[in-house]
Amino acid sequence: MSLRGRDVVSALDFTREEVEGLFELAERLRREMEERGTLSYARGRVLATVFLEPSTRTRLSFTFAMVRLGGSVVDFGPEAASSRAKGESVEDTLRMVDGYGPDAIVLRQGVPGFAARAAEICEAPVINAGDGWNEHPTQALLDVYTMWRELGRVDGVTVGIVGDLRYGRTPSSLSYMLSHFDGVRIWYVAPDPLQIREEVVERIGDRVEVRRASRLEEVLEELDVLYVTRLQKERFPDPEEYERLKGSYRVDAEFLSRFERVPVIMHPLPRVWELDESVDSLPQAKYFEQARNGLYVRAALLKEILGV
Ligand code: NCD
């Protein structure tokens, strides 16, 4: 596997072998970090992080990953404190960041499809950390890595993705990442206005068996993994539509207790009202572990892209 110098724009950019290679490497780095704390693979290398939309996990796990690999991180800081506030374009901003010579750039930005443009502009490899509602490929890596660890396999799994499949970028990237494996079935569970975007189903083609449902109770017992997502309030053009759909699905311990078999429960986080704290103590609740897995899988990805 060589990902050296590679941009990561879409979850479809990887091959199955590359994905599995990253999972194995993440396991190795986890052990090495547990034993030795900070490693020295990326000594002398610099990662730039540019987040033009809010982030906790993605920004911090990339930062911790780079620092634990022995490298350094320069963060762009809040947009309001940069010349973006004076009207500088995102393109020029990126030209500047790239011009200072980072070894890689992690970018989150609000315009769908912009990650591909950024990859064209920048010399340094660009890692898409979310481009609007379009994609979030490194989230999909850690999501599938979590399934691989929890279930011991990815082939043949049945995953229910519930929530905001229309404005969410994690459901699309997760679908693309799962399409690298064999015999996967995805249930898209959402009220009609929030159902999965057609382009996602088109792009995964017949590599995944796709089903749709509007109610979780109809499918829950079939699932190996339940992947809950938040309504992307900030992307709703009409705040009234948000209010109307709010609460249309909610997972809590009482709901889950009605079923004989409860799947592994995941969520990219942040959660708001759709995944209740009463679920946290169930043995199937894996979302905090999932977030932590982001550190190792992103460390593996950085190590490969930097070629160190
Ligand atoms: C997700 C995102 O930014 O798309 N968060 C994350 O990176 N873990 C999910 C979300 O914001 O709902």
Side-chain angles (χ1 to χ4, degrees):
M1 164 176 65
S2 176
L3 297 176
R4 191 182 184 139
R6 186 97 74 83
D7 298 306
V8 177
V9 170
S10 166
L12 288 170
D13 292 347
F14 298 96
T15 64
R16 176 187 179 130
E17 289 65 36
E18 287 166 349
V19 172
E20 289 179 327
L22 287 169
F23 294 171
E24 301 287 350
L25 180 56
E27 288 299 288
R28 198 185 101 198
L29 291 173
R30 177 192 299 266
R31 284 193 298 274
E32 291 181 17
M33 286 178 188
E34 276 166 5
E35 276 166 26
R36 310 211 304 272
T38 301
L39 312 174
S40 52
Y41 296 109
R43 195 184 291 150
R45 305 301 176 104
V46 181
L47 176 71
T49 53
V50 181
F51 281 79
L52 306 179
E53 278 193 334
S55 171
T56 296
R57 277 150 290 272
T58 309
R59 186 166 50 84
L60 286 177
S61 61
F62 265 116
T63 303
F64 271 92
M66 186 62 178
V67 170
R68 288 292 187 202
L69 285 173
S72 339
V73 180
V74 174
D75 182 58
F76 180 72
E79 198 172 11
S82 75
S83 286
R84 284 279 295 142
K86 302 176 188 171
E88 186 162 44
S89 68
V90 184
E91 281 87 347
D92 278 0
T93 302
L94 281 176
R95 285 186 185 101
M96 294 307 113
V97 173
D98 190 49
Y100 299 127
D103 294 289
I105 299 172
V106 174
L107 173 69
R108 172 171 290 186
Q109 207 272 341
V111 178
F114 187 80
R117 170 95 185 101
E120 271 170 29
I121 293 174
C122 297
E123 283 271 312
V126 171
I127 303 174
N128 180 8
D131 56 340
W133 46 253
N134 184 41
E135 275 218 57
H136 192 353
T138 67
Q139 178 70 42
L141 268 180
L142 74 94
D143 293 342
V144 178
Y145 174 56
T146 303
M147 294 177 196
W148 179 81
R149 294 194 94 226
E150 293 303 324
L151 303 170
R153 69 190 163 101
V154 183
D155 289 331
V157 297
T158 299
V159 180
I161 311 181
V162 63
D164 189 348
L165 314 178
R166 176 172 184 191
Y167 297 112
R169 54 192 168 204
T170 62
S172 40
S173 283
L174 175 56
S175 304
Y176 300 147
M177 195 59 77
L178 286 169
S179 77
H180 298 307
F181 293 83
D182 297 326
V184 172
R185 177 186 291 178
I186 301 179
W187 273 102
Y188 293 113
V189 185
D192 267 351
L194 298 179
Q195 259 298 346
I196 193 73
R197 303 188 297 276
E198 253 340 285
E199 101 249 2
V200 178
V201 178
E202 274 164 28
R203 291 183 81 191
I204 55 181
D206 55 9
R207 296 194 304 281
V208 172
E209 190 181 323
V210 167
R211 307 257 174 100
R212 293 179 184 80
S214 54
R215 295 171 65 82
L216 190 51
E217 42 273 53
E218 292 163 18
V219 305
L220 192 109
E221 281 187 331
E222 274 188 46
L223 307 179
D224 299 306
V225 175
L226 170 63
Y227 187 94
V228 188
T229 66
R230 161 185 84 87
L231 280 199
Q232 307 284 298
K233 186 178 185 182
E234 66 279 24
R235 303 199 200 283
F236 272 70
D238 174 7
E240 271 176 29
E241 196 192 9
Y242 175 81
E243 289 306 322
R244 199 154 34 81
L245 291 167
K246 190 176 157 186
S248 56
Y249 60 95
R250 182 164 172 279
V251 176
D252 61 17
E254 189 280 317
F255 170 79
L256 294 171
S257 71
R258 294 187 229 152
F259 304 91
E260 296 242 315
R261 182 172 164 267
V262 174
V264 170
I265 299 170
M266 295 176 54
H267 191 305
L269 303 176
R271 62 171 160 189
V272 260
W273 43 261
E274 70 286 346
L275 180 59
D276 192 69
E277 283 182 23
S278 58
V279 179
D280 297 2
S281 55
L282 300 186
Q284 293 92 341
K286 294 294 175 191
Y287 28 93
F288 295 122
E289 221 160 297
Q290 179 188 354
R292 193 176 150 77
N293 286 341
L295 167 63
Y296 304 111
V297 96
R298 286 178 171 131
L301 182 67
L302 286 173
K303 183 175 180 301
E304 281 302 307
I305 288 178
L306 296 172
V308 294

